[in-house]
Amino acid sequence: LQTMVRIKKSNLIQKANNFNFKKQLIKYVKTNKCCNEIVCDHPKHQSDPFVHNKFKVFKKSVKEELRLEIDKMWVYYVKKGETIEPSWHTHGHGISCLLYITDNDLGTKFKNFDVQLIKNNWIIWDKDIEHTPEPGYNKKDRIVVAGRLYEKI
């Protein structure tokens, strides 16, 4: 089994990633919920899949630094003091990605391999590889941007 994983530092995200940026992402999650339904299968604090339309730096970073395009992109937020439960999943079609906005003791587990997660670095992998937030007690706020990317032909 060949695993396609790329890790790429984002200078654009690192430059934008300050206290106010994090505050605005948390506000986005709270005001742009992932689902309007009463019953939702997504994590408790997940945004709609259009965060890249509000925060243009994500589009710019993906296009210029990764040479890819965004299909959908959302924010996953876990408050300090909350417990993270495992939820194995894939992101459907396209190329999957994660970007840690905050440092955190709990990372992301992948089936069959581990990747060191570093703030301001894109992690890109094959859409079929299952992953889950690492379960445990969250000692500080956790903000992760996740999404589906594709190659422009």
Side-chain angles (χ1 to χ4, degrees), residues 21-33:
F21 185 69
K22 292 176 184 86
K23 200 166 113 178
Q24 292 301 313
L25 283 171
I26 292 168
K27 182 180 177 183
Y28 184 87
V29 171
K30 290 178 179 178
T31 57
N32 297 275
K33 303 255 185 235

Side-chain angles (χ1 to χ4, degrees), residues 18 34 44 54 66 76 83 112 127:
N18 59 32
C34 61
K44 183 177 176 183
K54 169 85 174 168
L66 302 179
Y76 171 55
T83 300
N112 305 323
K127 65 177 173 43

Side-chain angles (χ1 to χ4, degrees), residues 34-114:
C34 61
C35 299
N36 292 325
E37 295 89 28
I38 295 170
V39 178
C40 172
D41 293 336
H42 294 108
K44 183 177 176 183
H45 305 293
Q46 181 171 307
S47 77
D48 66 21
F50 308 111
V51 68
H52 55 290
N53 292 332
K54 169 85 174 168
F55 296 84
K56 303 292 186 196
V57 69
F58 296 128
K59 277 186 182 178
K60 187 174 173 72
S61 175
V62 167
K63 187 173 187 119
E64 293 178 13
E65 295 174 322
L66 302 179
R67 306 268 187 245
L68 295 168
E69 301 290 329
I70 298 171
D71 176 28
K72 294 184 176 187
M73 189 165 280
W74 55 93
V75 181
Y76 171 55
Y77 170 58
V78 181
K79 293 180 188 177
K80 176 183 175 180
E82 290 185 344
T83 300
I84 299 172
E85 300 294 333
S87 61
W88 289 99
H89 64 281
T90 65
H91 292 170
H93 63 276
I95 301 165
S96 296
C97 71
L98 284 179
L99 173 73
Y100 274 73
I101 302 298
T102 54
D103 286 316
N104 203 288
D105 295 336
L106 300 173
T108 300
K109 292 178 156 282
F110 293 85
K111 292 275 184 172
N112 305 323
F113 67 93
D114 292 320

Side-chain angles (χ1 to χ4, degrees), residues 127-140:
K127 65 177 173 43
D128 295 323
I129 299 171
E130 284 188 276
H131 60 286
T132 183
E134 188 175 353
Y137 177 78
N138 204 47
K139 295 178 184 171
K140 50 187 165 182

